[in-house]
Amino acid sequence: MSRHSGLDSQLSTAERKQKLLQEGARYRADMLVSRDIVRANLNSKSLASIVLGRMTGIATSVFSNPINLKSANLRAVLPLLLTGASWLSRRHARKPLLIGAAVIAAIGGAAFISSRNTKATTDDE
């Protein structure tokens, strides 16, 4: 039995060559499209939003329960912290990260003040 089985074995050498050339052209076209998609999604704003989203998720899971704070796994958070530090060292990523940090700080401050106000009103009653 030949090495090539199925429909390819019935094709002539020229037809197989043409088919392989077409498959290669489709593969290269798909690679170019994929590369463009990756480049479009790897800008500093989208990466900053991804990092901030992950940091928010980690902070929520770590600080949601005070008992978890003592048993926080530094090994799990350390790669994310190192990635954030290396990102801050890049010039083009500073502005989106600083804007995101300012927004998060403003939201946190507003939440703190509103929780403090609700505690004060419940204490007065």
Side-chain angles (χ1 to χ4, degrees), residues 91-113:
R91 178 173 234 158
H92 61 72
R94 288 182 190 156
K95 187 176 179 181
L97 285 176
L98 289 175
I99 291 171
V103 168
I104 289 175
I107 292 171
F112 175 74
I113 290 172

Side-chain angles (χ1 to χ4, degrees), residues 17-106:
K17 182 178 178 181
Q18 189 63 30
K19 183 179 176 185
L20 286 173
L21 288 172
Q22 290 172 351
E23 286 178 5
R26 280 194 308 264
Y27 177 77
R28 286 188 299 277
D30 288 343
M31 288 299 293
L32 290 175
V33 169
S34 299
R35 186 176 65 185
D36 291 339
I37 290 171
V38 169
R39 282 184 182 164
N41 291 327
L42 282 181
N43 59 28
S44 59
K45 288 182 183 179
S46 66
L47 289 176
S49 66
I50 291 169
V51 168
L52 288 175
R54 288 189 179 180
M55 290 296 281
T56 304
I58 289 172
T60 303
S61 67
V62 168
F63 297 120
S64 64
N65 191 357
I67 297 170
N68 289 342
L69 189 58
K70 293 178 182 175
S71 64
N73 190 358
L74 185 60
R75 286 187 195 154
V77 179
L78 193 59
L80 199 54
L81 291 176
L82 290 175
T83 302
S86 69
W87 243 53
L88 282 175
S89 67
R90 296 181 186 162
R91 178 173 234 158
H92 61 72
R94 288 182 190 156
K95 187 176 179 181
L97 285 176
L98 289 175
I99 291 171
V103 168
I104 289 175

